[in-house]
Amino acid sequence: MNDPWQHLRGFTAARIALGRAGGSLPTAPLLDFRLSHARAKDAVLAPFDPLDLAEKLSGLHGHPLVLESRALDRATYLRRPDYGRALSQHSRELLEDVDRSADLAIVLSDGLSTRAVMEQAVPLLSALLPLLVKDGWIVAPLCIVRHGRVAIQDEVGGLLGAKLSLMLLGERPGLGSPDSLGAYFTFSPEAGKTDADRNCVSNIRPEGLAPELAARKLHALLTASYRLGLSGIGLKDDTPVMGLGGVTGIEG
């Protein structure tokens, strides 16, 4: 049976106006739902190879550092979020010899979608790093953390003495977005920061916020954060929602 709202499907990817077969969904949308659910599970459980990502990123900003959280395997990472928020002792020691004069520390991790960081990180950083370098930002060596969560960026940024930290990691996959990357940044990072101290640019993927547009938004927000000396709830996003071509950046 056709749904009278079916014409609205042209305006959204949401599962609306699917029709019905008796008291159930028609076969086609039911199978599509199951396929999306399987893709979301795959995104969470897919193995993450940080060395492969490091190779893909090596031409952008030197060779990345490969670190690890206290969660030594995927099962522990999913069951113990606190382990994913802290570096292993060995990784902390690796950062001791890194120069501490950087303006920005960029951290990448698998998070809850390996596919997201593997597919979106390279195009995002390919667009963002030139904008930052052009403005004179000193960017620390890229850090790839296996099994990291958002808050681990504060520990990494603090150990590197960076003025800001930026975390790129796979978001919790939805049924229509198993490849969505999130970008979180913190001014004056140090262990113990809270969600209120961070800003987030979400849904970075070709079908959401395209990586090139996300790079321009992040460039504007990072510049504003640096200039104002704050991040989190005190930092407002003044960039246009649509037509980011109008964003020219904020003088630092």
Side-chain angles (χ1 to χ4, degrees), residues 164-241:
L164 288 105
S165 63
L166 170 66
M167 166 62 100
L168 307 176
L169 83 172
E171 297 180 324
R172 181 178 291 105
L175 289 175
S177 55
D179 57 345
S180 181
L181 186 74
Y184 300 78
F185 64 89
T186 308
F187 183 82
S188 189
E190 59 181 358
K193 291 278 187 177
T194 70
D195 289 343
D197 299 311
R198 282 185 277 273
N199 297 86
C200 175
V201 174
S202 182
N203 196 28
I204 301 172
R205 60 193 184 100
E207 294 78 13
L209 181 63
E212 295 77 12
L213 294 180
R216 298 180 68 176
K217 179 175 280 290
L218 282 169
H219 172 246
L221 289 171
L222 288 168
T223 302
S225 178
Y226 187 98
R227 177 169 58 86
L228 297 172
L230 53 82
S231 61
I233 57 176
L235 181 65
K236 305 304 179 186
D237 181 4
D238 296 325
T239 58
V241 176

Side-chain angles (χ1 to χ4, degrees), residues 114-180:
T114 296
R115 178 180 167 186
V117 72
M118 295 302 294
E119 294 184 4
Q120 319 304 350
V122 171
L124 175 63
L125 289 178
S126 295
L128 177 60
L129 285 170
L131 296 175
L132 296 173
V133 171
K134 181 180 178 182
D135 285 353
W137 286 70
I138 300 174
V139 181
L142 302 177
C143 294
I144 301 174
V145 182
R146 186 199 301 269
H147 304 323
R149 292 189 181 265
V150 172
I152 207 168
Q153 70 176 110
D154 298 324
E155 184 178 12
V156 174
L159 289 171
L160 292 175
K163 296 180 177 64
L164 288 105
S165 63
L166 170 66
M167 166 62 100
L168 307 176
L169 83 172
E171 297 180 324
R172 181 178 291 105
L175 289 175
S177 55
D179 57 345
S180 181

Side-chain angles (χ1 to χ4, degrees), residues 97-108:
D97 296 329
V98 180
D99 183 80
R100 292 173 54 86
S101 62
D103 296 313
L104 177 66
I106 299 179
V107 187
L108 304 98

